[in-house]
Amino acid sequence: AEKVLGYDLLSLCLKGPQDELDRTRHCQPAVRLMCGLGSVSVQVVESCVAAAGYSVGEFAALVFAGALGFAEALYAVKVRAEAMQKASEAVPSGMLSVIGRREANYKFACLEARKHCESLGIENPVCEISNYLFPDSRVIAGHLQALEFLQENARKYYFTRTKMLPVSGAFHTRLMEPAVEPLAEVLKSIEIQKPLVCVYSNVDGKKYMHSKHIQKLLVKQVVSPVMWEQTMHSVYERKQGTEFPYTYEVGPGKQLGAVLKKCNLKAWKQYNHVDALEDEEAAET
């Protein structure tokens, strides 16, 4: 990883500084790819029936499934992260996690937030759903002024909880368009194989079909909302009475397990979390 990235990723992960590790250009290769792959348990590989990765974690899923080589995927993530960091610095923007009541109309709220931005003199303001997490939960991304407007008017839109996410930009919106071309160019130069197990795309929640399909949707994903709730329904769709498979969330945090519980309680009962450190400690003992 150090050879590909050009800096000591291990030292950055272990020693920081934290503000550098939090930067998009470092966080994406470190957390989403390296820690995810580092946590994969060898025992589950042979019996795996499907894989999916949240946002840049999709690269880890594709490496796991044999569609991308490790070094090539890491380099693509490096280019993606640096381009997204640059795009983030161009416009004051961010992401707002929202939990709403059933009456909540997220798209209407975004429309009014964009109108508010226009009244402030912002041209072509962005405020849109960037992540579909689970029923009644979305992430909205765009100009900071739009997100601040939504927080101030949360009760009007039936939002029960809002929280700004610790990210530097409006990921998965058109504000990331400057990152599209650099990633597209890199993916053209990488050999992509058909996955050995089913991998589901963030863009539409459906299975990747072939290498060109992977190349196209990985680029589109940068500016498209993450359809995670829809992906969960696709992954666990099965005939009534059929048992659910074991599900492993690999890497730091159990957020995807919490989302699965909200989307499909029966599937969540077969859920396990594998942390990189836990895996390491088990190997030592």
Side-chain angles (χ1 to χ4, degrees):
E2 184 177 346
K3 288 179 181 178
V4 173
L5 296 172
Y7 57 86
D8 189 344
L9 182 63
L10 180 60
S11 176
L12 184 61
C13 288
L14 296 177
K15 301 175 183 177
Q18 183 69 43
D19 60 340
E20 278 298 306
L21 187 56
D22 286 343
R23 285 170 64 84
T24 301
R25 66 189 301 266
H26 296 141
C27 180
Q28 289 192 11
V31 179
R32 302 299 184 186
L33 186 63
M34 296 298 298
C35 289
L37 288 172
S39 309
V40 175
S41 173
V42 175
Q43 292 134 338
V44 306
V45 173
E46 291 183 2
S47 59
C48 184
V49 293
Y54 187 90
S55 189
V56 73
E58 199 162 276
F59 283 84
L62 288 164
V63 172
F64 168 80
L68 293 173
F70 167 72
E72 291 83 357
L74 184 58
Y75 182 69
V77 170
K78 175 182 185 289
V79 171
R80 179 187 191 271
E82 289 174 351
M84 289 174 73
Q85 177 79 47
K86 190 174 180 180
S88 299
E89 291 168 355
V91 180
S93 58
M95 303 180 80
L96 181 72
S97 177
V98 177
I99 294 179
R101 287 160 55 182
R102 290 192 176 180
E103 305 96 314
N105 186 328
Y106 302 96
K107 290 185 178 180
F108 177 69
C110 289
L111 174 63
E112 295 216 322
R114 290 197 296 272
K115 287 182 178 179
H116 168 72
C117 287
E118 288 172 351
S119 73
L120 299 176
I122 299 172
E123 294 183 9
N124 299 317
V126 173
C127 184
E128 56 197 58
I129 297 171
S130 63
N131 297 262
Y132 291 81
L133 295 175
F134 54 85
D136 304 322
S137 180
R138 306 283 186 269
V139 174
I140 296 173
H143 282 81
L144 282 181
Q145 296 89 334
L147 304 183
E148 289 164 359
F149 173 84
L150 292 178
Q151 284 191 294
E152 290 166 6
N153 295 276
R155 291 182 67 182
K156 175 184 177 182
Y157 302 115
Y158 301 102
F159 296 164
T160 57
R161 194 175 79 190
T162 61
K163 181 182 179 182
M164 288 296 295
L165 298 180
V167 296
S168 58
F171 304 150
H172 302 291
T173 71
R174 59 184 173 85
L175 286 177
M176 291 295 111
E177 282 179 359
V180 167
E181 192 58 34
L183 179 60
E185 286 302 311
V186 170
L187 290 175
K188 285 177 186 176
S189 67
I190 292 175
E191 186 177 358
I192 303 175
Q193 306 288 340
K194 185 177 179 180
L196 298 173
V197 298
C198 294
V199 179
Y200 288 78
S201 167
N202 286 184
V203 173
D204 56 12
K206 298 177 181 178
K207 298 174 189 175
Y208 279 120
M209 303 307 294
H210 48 74
S211 59
K212 288 290 184 184
H213 192 212
I214 293 171
Q215 181 182 316
K216 178 183 176 182
L217 292 192
L218 282 179
V219 173
K220 191 176 180 181
Q221 189 224 56
V222 173
V223 291
S224 301
V226 174
M227 312 292 275
W228 194 255
E229 181 184 344
Q230 295 85 339
T231 300
M232 292 296 92
H233 293 316
S234 295
V235 170
Y236 296 101
E237 184 180 12
R238 58 216 334 99
K239 292 180 181 177
Q240 192 170 357
T242 306
E243 287 188 9
F244 287 96
Y246 287 101
T247 298
Y248 296 90
E249 178 176 2
V250 296
K254 300 180 182 180
Q255 293 92 337
L256 297 184
V259 170
L260 176 59
K261 188 176 182 180
K262 296 283 188 180
C263 290
N264 192 321
L265 183 60
K266 288 183 178 180
W268 175 79
K269 289 178 179 178
Q270 301 279 58
Y271 162 86
N272 292 279
H273 174 249
V274 183
D275 190 281
L277 291 176
E278 290 173 6
D279 211 39
E280 195 174 283
E281 288 165 5
E284 287 174 359
T285 56

